[in-house]
Amino acid sequence: MGPLYLFELASSQARWLELRQSTIATNVANANTPGFRARDVEPFNKVLDGTPVRLAMTSPSHMQLSAAETDTRATAKKDSWDVVHSGNSVSLEQEMIKGSDVNRDYSMNSAIVRSFHRMLLSSAKA
């Protein structure tokens, strides 16, 4: 595995979060449209599936984990909660939960980038 580019990864996740928020907004806007089916984007961990991150063993006393113990890629696809008589599958409650997930993930992404930026600046000053 090559180097892990944190800022590139954070930027990629921010673009994914933007797309997911737009999809959620479209679902909410069409909550009363007959026959509209709720949509969602593929999970972000699908982007990371091709590059599993292995723990670095920098000392012989470190424990070695197998690939199965470090694999965190398994996810379950969730369907919409209900379909109403008009054929619309948008659940406003579910969309609000997704929206708060996007908000939380974006806040975490921003905090991590700020922390690494501060570390880079402090290492450049030293």
Side-chain angles (χ1 to χ4, degrees), residues 70-89:
T70 59
D71 190 11
T72 59
R73 295 179 283 165
T75 59
K77 183 176 181 339
K78 298 177 185 173
D79 292 327
S80 183
W81 288 349
D82 55 348
V83 176
V84 294
H85 183 67
S86 67
N88 188 312
S89 69

Side-chain angles (χ1 to χ4, degrees), residues 8 13 37 50 74 111 126:
E8 182 180 328
Q13 185 189 29
R37 295 284 184 201

Side-chain angles (χ1 to χ4, degrees), residues 1-12:
M1 180 180 119
L4 181 64
Y5 298 105
L6 178 80
F7 293 114
E8 182 180 328
L9 182 63
S11 176
S12 177

Side-chain angles (χ1 to χ4, degrees), residues 20 24 27-28 31 38 79-84 88-101:
R20 186 158 195 230
I24 292 167
N27 288 345
V28 170
D79 292 327
S80 183
W81 288 349
D82 55 348
V83 176
V84 294
N88 188 312
S89 69
V90 176
S91 166
L92 289 177
E93 294 87 1
Q94 189 176 23
E95 297 304 315
M96 293 302 111
I97 291 170
K98 289 180 194 176
S100 65
D101 288 345

